[in-house]
Amino acid sequence: MKQARLPIVVVGGGVAGLATALAAAPAPVRLLCRAHDGSGSASALAQGGIAAALDPHDSPATHAADTLLAGAHHNDAEMVEWLTREAPGAIAWLQAQGVLFDRDADGRLQLGREGGHAAARIVHAGGDASGAALVHALRAKAQAAAHVQWRGGVDVDALLVRDGAVVGVRTRDERGRQEHIEAAAVVLATGGIGALFARTSNPPGADGAGLALGLASGASPRDLEFVQFHPTTLDVAGHCLPLITEALRGAGAHLLDADGQPLMAGVHPLGDLAPRDVVARRVAQAQGEGGQVWLDATGVAGAWERRFPTVLAACRAHGFDPRRAPIPVTPAAHFHMGGLATDADGRTSVPGLHAVGEVACNGVHGANRLASNSLLEGVLCGRRLGRFLAAAEPRPGRRGDYRWVERGDSLSPSQLIALGDLLWRAAGPVREASSLRDAWRSCAAVADAGWQARLAKALLRAALLRKRSLGAHCRHDRGCPA
């Protein structure tokens, strides 16, 4: 009698996890999410769209060149070539899944321009609600797919390891009830680490939990020091700040200093549309000099309710109207280029454990992600990983002793606040050795108290070891221009 195939366990309901689950058909998939409906992912908050060379005057080669330039040529060139070549096909696939991209009066896809891009190649859905549109469409497909079993309201807090391979997970629901699930393969699609920082554009769930679990299992990290800071979030009180999309600057908005002068004048040839690391450092520098930074979008034409509904609603909720007056902005932790080291098919160094999306690092983003390449990576790498797992031969049952690899206890709320402040000061847009070293020692002192401290310690160590400035890793004591 043929034995029933164990499910592929996908942890995370953002774009990367959903794409992986859909592409794994007909293999059975167990999709596990912290939220019951899969909400709360950073994907759903993404205001930028997806980059693809669709204009006749553009090309995948130019898209690749922009990606390499933004990434300080620290990228894996083969992955960049593959990503940019496959990008137009990703747009076609998403349309087939029901994503309604914005079009002009003639029915053509509208192509916007964002920082670091030499051409207009960003497709959006719902104006600045692209991430939500993608997640909504892919979630509907996954929930209707016969091969996908959706499980919400659970947290994966341990991996089952037998004979050196990951063969299952342990989940815990809101009531503390545990379930053990054996798996043909485990995929971590858990997002980034932005919520560890005092100021972030990410949701609270982007806390690095999946990355910490992968590292605890022995999976090799890669480029943990490279954290991208978005230069424009709304400068209001709080931890998770409203994102002010870069597309506004692509539509004509300008950054101003405290005196109302152009902030980016003479800083970079692309001005307000310079790569994010350059703009974020300039904003941070101006703030460090005691000044408020403003984004003047009063000259942006068109219907804001259609083009930028998310930004408009967020600003109004805090008493601002970006159509009538400049709004205050600040950098915030936005995207982690580093993560669990994977190959092109999402395999980590631990057999049976895979990673995709922001928790993974395959080298495609290099030292600084090019705007609107992240949703693209999630779609393409997720589909590639799903197909790879579906084609894999069923693994024979492993014998021998097994062990649980646990993420461990969490820091207390007060400790998390202190850690966020520490990371922001030491590992923010501008860094230097003594602050990094002091922060590392502080994390080492409380490493036994919670997994967040151990993860921060690993990031800080990587930042100390990277002694020269590169991309988003700006060492002010090593020649960073900030």
Short mmCIF file of all heavy atoms in Angstrom, two decimals, residues 53-60 62 111 118-121:
data_model
loop_
_atom_site.label_atom_id
_atom_site.label_comp_id
_atom_site.label_asym_id
_atom_site.label_seq_id
_atom_site.Cartn_x
_atom_site.Cartn_y
_atom_site.Cartn_z
N ALA A 53 10.45 45.17 -16.26
CA ALA A 53 10.74 45.93 -17.48
C ALA A 53 9.68 45.60 -18.53
O ALA A 53 9.81 44.65 -19.30
CB ALA A 53 12.13 45.58 -17.99
N LEU A 54 8.62 46.41 -18.56
CA LEU A 54 7.50 46.17 -19.47
C LEU A 54 7.41 47.20 -20.58
O LEU A 54 6.76 46.97 -21.60
CB LEU A 54 6.18 46.18 -18.68
CG LEU A 54 6.04 45.11 -17.58
CD1 LEU A 54 4.79 45.36 -16.76
CD2 LEU A 54 6.01 43.72 -18.20
N ASP A 55 8.06 48.35 -20.38
CA ASP A 55 8.04 49.40 -21.40
C ASP A 55 8.95 48.99 -22.56
O ASP A 55 10.03 48.42 -22.34
CB ASP A 55 8.52 50.72 -20.80
CG ASP A 55 8.34 51.88 -21.75
OD1 ASP A 55 9.23 52.07 -22.62
OD2 ASP A 55 7.35 52.60 -21.62
N PRO A 56 8.56 49.28 -23.80
CA PRO A 56 9.40 48.91 -24.96
C PRO A 56 10.79 49.53 -24.91
O PRO A 56 11.73 48.97 -25.49
CB PRO A 56 8.60 49.44 -26.16
CG PRO A 56 7.19 49.52 -25.69
CD PRO A 56 7.26 49.85 -24.24
N HIS A 57 10.93 50.66 -24.23
CA HIS A 57 12.24 51.31 -24.15
C HIS A 57 13.05 50.84 -22.95
O HIS A 57 14.18 51.30 -22.75
CB HIS A 57 12.04 52.83 -24.08
CG HIS A 57 11.30 53.39 -25.25
ND1 HIS A 57 11.82 53.43 -26.53
CD2 HIS A 57 10.04 53.91 -25.34
CE1 HIS A 57 10.94 53.97 -27.36
NE2 HIS A 57 9.85 54.27 -26.66
N ASP A 58 12.49 49.96 -22.14
CA ASP A 58 13.17 49.41 -20.97
C ASP A 58 13.62 47.99 -21.31
O ASP A 58 13.28 47.43 -22.35
CB ASP A 58 12.22 49.42 -19.77
CG ASP A 58 12.92 49.24 -18.43
OD1 ASP A 58 14.16 49.24 -18.41
OD2 ASP A 58 12.20 49.08 -17.43
N SER A 59 14.38 47.37 -20.40
CA SER A 59 14.83 46.00 -20.63
C SER A 59 15.18 45.33 -19.32
O SER A 59 15.53 46.02 -18.35
CB SER A 59 16.06 45.98 -21.54
OG SER A 59 17.18 46.51 -20.86
N PRO A 60 15.09 44.00 -19.24
CA PRO A 60 15.55 43.31 -18.04
C PRO A 60 17.01 43.60 -17.71
O PRO A 60 17.38 43.65 -16.54
CB PRO A 60 15.34 41.82 -18.40
CG PRO A 60 14.21 41.84 -19.38
CD PRO A 60 14.45 43.08 -20.20
N THR A 62 18.59 46.45 -18.10
CA THR A 62 18.64 47.73 -17.41
C THR A 62 18.11 47.59 -15.98
O THR A 62 18.66 48.18 -15.04
CB THR A 62 17.83 48.79 -18.18
OG1 THR A 62 18.32 48.88 -19.51
CG2 THR A 62 17.94 50.15 -17.52
N LEU A 111 2.88 52.54 -15.44
CA LEU A 111 4.23 52.27 -14.95
C LEU A 111 4.75 53.49 -14.22
O LEU A 111 4.91 54.56 -14.80
CB LEU A 111 5.16 51.92 -16.12
CG LEU A 111 4.75 50.70 -16.97
CD1 LEU A 111 5.73 50.51 -18.12
CD2 LEU A 111 4.71 49.45 -16.10
N ALA A 118 16.17 53.63 -13.29
CA ALA A 118 16.48 54.52 -14.40
C ALA A 118 15.29 54.69 -15.34
O ALA A 118 15.36 55.49 -16.27
CB ALA A 118 17.67 53.98 -15.18
N ALA A 119 14.22 53.94 -15.10
CA ALA A 119 13.05 54.00 -15.98
C ALA A 119 11.79 53.77 -15.16
O ALA A 119 11.85 53.28 -14.02
CB ALA A 119 13.15 52.94 -17.08
N ALA A 120 10.66 54.13 -15.73
CA ALA A 120 9.37 53.85 -15.10
C ALA A 120 9.04 52.38 -15.36
O ALA A 120 8.79 51.99 -16.49
CB ALA A 120 8.30 54.77 -15.68
N ARG A 121 9.04 51.58 -14.28
CA ARG A 121 8.79 50.15 -14.46
C ARG A 121 8.04 49.53 -13.27
O ARG A 121 8.05 48.32 -13.09
CB ARG A 121 10.12 49.40 -14.67
CG ARG A 121 11.10 49.44 -13.51
CD ARG A 121 12.23 48.44 -13.73
NE ARG A 121 13.12 48.82 -14.80
CZ ARG A 121 14.29 49.44 -14.64
NH1 ARG A 121 14.71 49.74 -13.41
NH2 ARG A 121 15.05 49.74 -15.66
#
